[in-house]
Amino acid sequence: MFRSFTDRLFGGVCGGIAAPLPISSWAVRILFVALAIATFGAFAVLYLMLWLLIPQESLVIRREGGALWSFVTLLLFVLVTAAWIVRINGFTQLPQGGDLYYPLLGVLLSLVFFVKQIRRSA
């Protein structure tokens, strides 16, 4: 999986996700927006994580593989969905009244950025 170079509005993430699937990239975009609203921004953070991690499609170089990035996308999707489910069930609530939902998403985004930096320096 690669971010789309030709089917993009922002980073090409939705175009890249839709490319191997039999659905329109617009359907993926609408789904991302709907899920971002429903999950209080978690899927917006997921989009940022995928934008950081998934490599850009190249029109010049034919890249093989992509299974790793499909797995990473699926893993991040599951982690963000799990964080949202945990929040809905109230497990992120602190006894003092605070909520750990957004700090957990921030930590996940930071880990993705860290992995990107390690991958870039290697």
Side-chain angles (χ1 to χ4, degrees), residues 46-105:
L46 174 65
Y47 186 91
L48 289 174
M49 287 187 267
L50 295 176
W51 192 353
L52 285 171
L53 276 181
I54 298 175
Q56 178 73 43
E57 172 186 45
S58 174
L59 297 178
V60 178
I61 302 169
R62 171 91 173 137
R63 296 184 184 176
E64 296 299 323
L68 171 67
W69 300 115
S70 297
F71 175 73
V72 168
T73 301
L74 182 61
L75 179 65
L76 287 174
F77 180 83
V78 167
L79 288 174
V80 168
T81 304
W84 177 54
I85 290 171
V86 165
R87 182 179 193 266
I88 287 175
N89 290 322
F91 294 121
T92 59
Q93 294 292 324
L94 295 173
Q96 299 85 6
D99 192 3
L100 289 176
Y101 182 62
Y102 293 109
L104 286 174
L105 290 177

Side-chain angles (χ1 to χ4, degrees), residues 13-41:
V13 173
C14 293
I17 290 173
L21 301 175
I23 59 173
S24 167
S25 60
W26 280 101
V28 176
R29 288 181 185 110
I30 291 169
L31 183 66
F32 255 94
V33 169
L35 287 172
I37 292 168
T39 61
F40 307 103

Side-chain angles (χ1 to χ4, degrees), residues 111-122:
L111 287 172
V112 166
F113 184 74
F114 181 68
V115 168
K116 179 181 173 83
Q117 294 304 316
I118 289 174
R119 190 181 77 205
R120 182 180 288 169
S121 66

